[in-house]
Amino acid sequence: EKLGYILSELIEKKIIPIIIGGSQELTYSQYLSFEYLKKIINIVSIDSRIDFDIDNKENYVTKNYWYKILLRDPSYLFSLSQVAYQGYLTDSNTIKLMEKNYFELYRLGKVRENMMDVEPVIRGTDLLTFDISAVRQSDSPGTKEPSPNGLYAEEACQLTRFAGLSDNLKTIGFYNYESVTDINHQSARLIA
């Protein structure tokens, strides 16, 4: 929660905080910064999974931080969009619940089919949270949860470019990045 206060101070001074590293539950602190400022916001999450576990309400860790955000009262969340999630990594009940609450969901295949469909959503966001595990392992070896499937590096860059061109973006976080894994991978490539 201290991070939320720090971020709120930076946002109030028109400084865009960029968070690199740590687990994605820090998105909660990003959200709190807007709560402290009493500003209603749009959130976009780029992630291979929807981090919302209906059956595990007590556990607010990385896999369930949305639960904590969605329960806040009063809520400063206007809209939530999930981009590049993979259906087989997400519980179908979670998807149904998100759709029932009118959150926008963009599967990886749909994003790949037409990147321009998500541009307005990303350009309209105040808070962008990007889990590096949404990028396939061969393009991003420094992730805590590697997968052979995911966004290509070029696609990830294009999505973040949309956010960077926006006048609305107030804070962005890149999470679940492990520099040690990335460095070890690069060293192994140099030796080979």
Side-chain angles (χ1 to χ4, degrees), residues 150-185:
L151 293 166
Y152 293 101
E154 295 84 3
E155 294 167 335
C157 289
Q158 184 64 50
L159 293 175
T160 53
R161 182 176 183 271
F162 292 154
L165 292 172
S166 171
D167 291 332
N168 295 332
L169 186 69
K170 307 290 186 293
T171 178
I172 184 170
F174 297 93
Y175 299 113
N176 293 323
Y177 171 71
E178 284 192 341
S179 59
V180 173
T181 307
D182 201 24
I183 291 168
N184 289 340
H185 179 76

Side-chain angles (χ1 to χ4, degrees), residues 47-100:
D47 196 339
S48 59
R49 296 164 176 79
I50 300 175
D51 295 325
F52 185 77
D53 185 356
I54 299 166
D55 300 324
N56 194 4
K57 295 176 177 108
E58 286 84 41
N59 191 0
Y60 297 135
V61 294
T62 298
K63 298 294 176 225
N64 207 19
Y65 63 90
W66 285 126
Y67 189 79
K68 197 170 182 182
I69 290 172
L70 295 174
L71 286 181
R72 297 297 290 180
D73 188 28
S75 175
Y76 289 90
L77 179 64
F78 182 73
S79 73
L80 170 62
S81 301
Q82 183 75 40
V83 175
Y85 80 95
Q86 297 175 41
Y88 71 95
L89 295 174
T90 305
D91 179 60
S92 61
N93 289 331
T94 299
I95 294 169
K96 288 176 190 169
L97 179 68
M98 300 293 270
E99 288 172 340
K100 180 180 170 188

